[in-house]
């Protein structure tokens, strides 16, 4: 499956942004999806994930209550709605996909995902 992220940009602190990730070349509904981010000089970190049917969602503690992950299987797209953005949210945001089941407790691990998009830059100014 190929993943194409879009929707990044520059936003002021407290603002909102929605990033999208369109999948192609696979049966989207068979993939668990995730969003990760990587700031300069830091390791890639988990942001959010969503199960194949959209029934279970997981978030990093730092984004709970501010970010919402969702998916539209008919459009083969996963979204990350980001509200109340903070300067520390500045990073390149990557979407990821895993074909088949995610091991419980490992939905936030980089190694759990087989496919990655190219990333989209999100910059939050103070």
């Amino acid at each position: 499956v190929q993943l194409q992220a879009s929707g990044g940009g520059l936003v002021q602190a407290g603002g909102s942004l929605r990033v999208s990730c369109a999948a192609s070349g696979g049966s989207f509904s068979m993939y668990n999806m995730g969003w990760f981010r990587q700031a300069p000089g830091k390791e890639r970190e988990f942001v959010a994930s969503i199960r194949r049917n959209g029934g279970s969602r997981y978030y990093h503690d730092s984004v709970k209550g501010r970010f919402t992950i969702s998916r539209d299987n008919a459009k083969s797209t996963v979204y990350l709605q980001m509200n109340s953005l903070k300067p520390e949210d500045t990073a390149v945001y990557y979407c990821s996909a895993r074909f088949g089941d995610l091991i419980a407790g490992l939905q936030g691990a980089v190694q759990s995902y087989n496919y990655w998009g190219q990333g989209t830059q999100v910059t939050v100014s103070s």
Side-chain angles (χ1 to χ4, degrees), residues 1-48:
V1 67
Q2 291 79 45
L3 304 174
Q4 181 72 41
S6 62
L10 174 64
V11 63
Q12 288 189 333
S16 298
L17 203 61
R18 188 178 79 162
V19 291
S20 304
C21 177
S24 60
S27 182
F28 183 72
S29 62
M30 296 298 292
Y31 291 84
N32 295 284
M33 302 299 295
W35 283 100
F36 287 72
R37 64 188 181 187
Q38 188 166 17
K42 295 188 177 181
E43 293 187 351
R44 191 168 297 190
E45 68 172 5
F46 171 73
V47 176

Side-chain angles (χ1 to χ4, degrees), residues 8-81:
L10 174 64
V11 63
Q12 288 189 333
S16 298
L17 203 61
R18 188 178 79 162
V19 291
S20 304
C21 177
S24 60
S27 182
F28 183 72
S29 62
M30 296 298 292
Y31 291 84
N32 295 284
M33 302 299 295
W35 283 100
F36 287 72
R37 64 188 181 187
Q38 188 166 17
K42 295 188 177 181
E43 293 187 351
R44 191 168 297 190
E45 68 172 5
F46 171 73
V47 176
S49 67
I50 187 168
R51 296 281 185 174
R52 288 177 288 183
N53 62 2
S56 295
R57 310 178 194 197
Y58 304 91
Y59 298 93
H60 190 276
D61 285 346
S62 65
V63 306
K64 282 181 181 177
R66 300 189 298 122
F67 290 11
T68 301
I69 188 171
S70 62
R71 66 189 295 161
D72 185 338
N73 284 350
K75 295 183 178 180
S76 297
T77 301
V78 62
Y79 305 96
L80 184 68
Q81 176 67 44

